[in-house]
Amino acid sequence: MKKNFIIAITAASLSVGTTVCNAQAPKRQQTTSTQTALQNPVYEQDKVDKKAEFPGGAMKQLEFIMHNVKYPQEAEKKGVSGVVRVHFIVETDGSLADVKVPESVHPALDAEGIRLVKAMPKWTPAKLKGKAVRSKMVIAIPFRLN
């Protein structure tokens, strides 16, 4: 089966949820996950002055994906296609963290989407009031067989 697939890039906003565990803490002062989240929050793309960006912009990002994506053989053999939405955080230093696929398309396609994002170079981080901040990103990677 000849494989042709189209790559499209989109950035989308996500909702944030915070989970707090109430465990017994020693008497010394301890930083909780809530305090850490308040000190170093993750921003939605529409809440920053300048959005996080792949080095060189959207066209370079598309070029990177087109040159590095590999259609998984397992998915190709089974005729599986779909759009993998990879969620991640761009840290203040441009590194990518918390890379995941919340809604699975197929394990092999999900794994390729995650591998591809983890292979990306550091991004230019989002900015708020001139300061680099953590921000959420989503990249949609369509896998199509013809």
Side-chain angles (χ1 to χ4, degrees), residues 37-49:
L38 291 173
Q39 293 168 352
N40 210 1
V42 178
Y43 291 90
E44 305 287 339
Q45 287 298 305
D46 63 343
K47 304 292 183 198
V48 297
D49 300 329

Side-chain angles (χ1 to χ4, degrees), residues 7-23:
I7 308 298
I9 310 302
T10 58
S13 299
L14 303 173
S15 301
V16 179
T18 305
T19 305
V20 179
C21 296
N22 293 321

